[in-house]
Amino acid sequence: MATETPPPSKSPTRLPSTEEFTEVQESAEFAELRRSYRSFAFPLTVAFIAWYLLYVLLSNYAGDFMGTKVFGNVNVALLLGLAQFLTTFLIAWWYARHAAAKLDPKAEAIKSRMEGGA
């Protein structure tokens, strides 16, 4: 069975010092990594919480609307509830793509430089 990641190295990795961690934390490269993460995660988190609260508020205060039949025994509340699951999975998929494309390469570069002592 083939894997995408190579097996762990037999040689021990060098542990960075506290000063090296502080230096990396204050670097522009690390700031860019944090900015890239935050510019993606924070707006999506706020949007999803707003979407969830809208669903809860509609369920509590717009019972007639939520009870509107769409077809058969399926009503608006059921469709919006299922849409909550759909958006959860879509956000997770989108974040995984974003992390693989933008965050992981930057984080790996920082990690390898710190462990390699370069």
Side-chain angles (χ1 to χ4, degrees), residues 1-5:
M1 177 177 172
T3 61
E4 292 182 23
T5 57

Side-chain angles (χ1 to χ4, degrees), residues 2-25:
T3 61
E4 292 182 23
T5 57
S9 173
K10 300 278 187 210
S11 63
T13 57
R14 185 186 75 80
L15 295 177
S17 67
T18 304
E19 293 79 22
E20 289 172 310
F21 274 112
T22 304
E23 182 181 316
V24 167
Q25 184 180 9

Side-chain angles (χ1 to χ4, degrees), residues 10-61:
K10 300 278 187 210
S11 63
T13 57
R14 185 186 75 80
L15 295 177
S17 67
T18 304
E19 293 79 22
E20 289 172 310
F21 274 112
T22 304
E23 182 181 316
V24 167
Q25 184 180 9
E26 294 169 353
S27 72
E29 186 180 24
F30 188 75
E32 175 58 32
L33 175 62
R34 280 193 323 223
R35 188 172 23 262
S36 183
Y37 167 74
R38 289 176 177 168
S39 68
F40 185 88
F42 288 175
L44 264 171
T45 301
V46 169
F48 184 78
I49 289 172
W51 160 227
Y52 176 74
L53 289 176
L54 174 68
Y55 176 72
V56 171
L57 291 172
L58 285 173
S59 295
N60 283 319
Y61 299 110

Side-chain angles (χ1 to χ4, degrees), residues 43-116:
L44 264 171
T45 301
V46 169
F48 184 78
I49 289 172
W51 160 227
Y52 176 74
L53 289 176
L54 174 68
Y55 176 72
V56 171
L57 291 172
L58 285 173
S59 295
N60 283 319
Y61 299 110
D64 291 339
F65 169 69
M66 295 295 270
T68 303
K69 300 249 186 217
V70 178
F71 57 88
N73 287 331
V74 177
N75 60 17
V76 172
L78 179 62
L79 291 178
L80 291 179
L82 292 173
Q84 290 284 319
F85 287 102
L86 178 64
T87 54
T88 300
F89 291 118
L90 286 174
I91 289 171
W93 170 78
W94 193 14
Y95 175 77
R97 284 184 47 138
H98 172 74
K102 302 229 164 92
L103 303 178
D104 293 347
K106 292 174 185 176
E108 187 58 39
I110 292 171
K111 178 184 176 225
S112 63
R113 191 171 52 258
M114 287 188 76
E115 288 178 349

